[in-house]
Amino acid sequence: MTLTSPPGSADTAAPPTQHRTGRWIDDWRPEDEKFWDETGARVAKRNLIWSIFAEHLGFSVWLIWSVSSAMLLAQGFEFTPQQLFFLVAIPNLVGSLIRVPYTLAVPKFGGRNWTMVSAALLLIPTLSFAYFVNQPGTPYWAFCVIAATAGFGGGNFASSMANINFFYPARLKGAALGLNAAGGNLGVALIQFFLPVIVGGAGIFGLVKASEGGIHLERAAWVYAGLAVTAVLAAFFFMDNLSNAKSPAKEQLQVLKSKQTWVMSFLYIGTFGSFIGYSAAMPLLIKVNFWRQPVPDVAGIGINFVFYAFLGALVGSMSRPLGGYLADKFGGARVTMVCFGGMILGTLGVLWTLSLLETLPPPPDAAALAAIKADPAAFSYPDAVQSAVDANTDVFPLFLGMFLLIFFFTGIGNGSTYKMIPAIFRTEAERASTPNTPERDAALLAGTKKASAAVGIIGAVGAIGGFLIPITFGSPWVTDPLSATKTAFMVFAGFYVVCASVTFWVYLRKPHPAKAHLSYAGVGI
């Protein structure tokens, strides 16, 4: 679709449209209020809706291993906690690395076209998972490869956010990007909520009982493969490409030279890296510290992770649009600063609850497990195990509450940091140009392109936190899972203190009068 009235023409009330191959829009002026009210808002909203759907699907596939890895044991595979934590970490690493090329693909191929391609790529991790999870002889390394391809879903976020950034005016970017991101983040919660039920396990706070036929993990993969096809078709029929979003890769990568790109990348590790890392690790954290079930045929005791694991991602997803709204109202840097303060308090609260836990006795060795499998009815939990599990179950509500507090502030911080990115580059464009001139219009468009490119870089670096967090929880040098968990949260608390300090020093501190024109404080960032 082409909006044919050229910029600056008198007839801009309702630009005539015509369709051409690829659904390209040649005239796009979101900062023009008349254009926006009569044409732009409707088109932008339609693209935002289907962008949210595609990104939501990508996040679901990206985090499919966060729950399924904990269920591999019930399917007959035997992996250690360290191996399982590594499985949930691999997609996050791949997802972070491919975010840069995914971002560069939007200006090169068009947002609609790339949404189709990125959705189609999700068939690789879903279909391969559906096949190999039913092969009892599948080696661990094969699951690692399949988990790596799930990282394709993580790349969808960067391209989706870069695309939507072009559609909306500056005054609405925080809310639009917040909604787009929240829709994607919500995919994490929904995959963790529905996957146990889809595959035949217990779920929905115990209201749904486990199927007598056992666990069938391939069912979830088939469902999401079908949704991937739906996303391709939806993008084909309902989304658009923007001609003015085109930009050579070399030009986009100029943002690598900007100090602000790397400062924001560091802060995004603290917000989004925490969100995605905790989301991936939370099911296993609950399973390792609060649940005991030696074999599937024996009733488990303690807290079943499938009942609660989705809550963290749900809280973080729902609070993200609020972060964008608050950033639009009060400034992204101020909101981000408050968020890191909240994450510090939440992390200290989690550490306090962990100090109340008892270390669970080690699980049965291979010989004991074989005996239990041979005669499950004769098995009973040792008193030491039962006592420790019961004691930890009493602490779980405190642990969950503190953990959800962290998730809440990660969501707020995700929204506020993404408001800061376009605001930073817009501010730089305004300082480098004169108001009400063609140079200002060109500078603002260039700033938008830089911001969209920066979204990919910042998203890529930030998502690395999603890899590091599960790895830290599964530290091979700490044999006791509870000790590893405590150590990890102490490291994270210290990191959030550094993030808060950087936010204040770079964006909120009053500058020296001679350098006031270089400061970002007080300009809405």
Side-chain angles (χ1 to χ4, degrees), residues 140 179 222 346 380:
Y140 177 72
L179 284 171
W222 287 117
S380 62

Side-chain angles (χ1 to χ4, degrees), residues 266-267 340 344 491-504:
F266 181 78
L267 298 182
F340 282 124
I344 293 169
V491 171
F492 302 150
F495 179 69
Y496 299 146
V497 170
V498 175
C499 288
S501 301
V502 170
T503 303
F504 173 79

Side-chain angles (χ1 to χ4, degrees), residues 166-213:
F166 282 105
F167 276 95
Y168 279 84
R171 68 184 186 278
L172 299 177
K173 286 183 188 293
L177 293 175
L179 284 171
N180 190 58
N185 292 173
L186 196 58
V188 181
L190 290 187
I191 190 71
Q192 293 177 337
F193 182 75
F194 285 115
L195 185 144
V197 177
I198 293 173
V199 303
I204 311 181
F205 302 110
L207 298 177
V208 175
K209 303 300 180 183
S211 169
E212 294 183 0

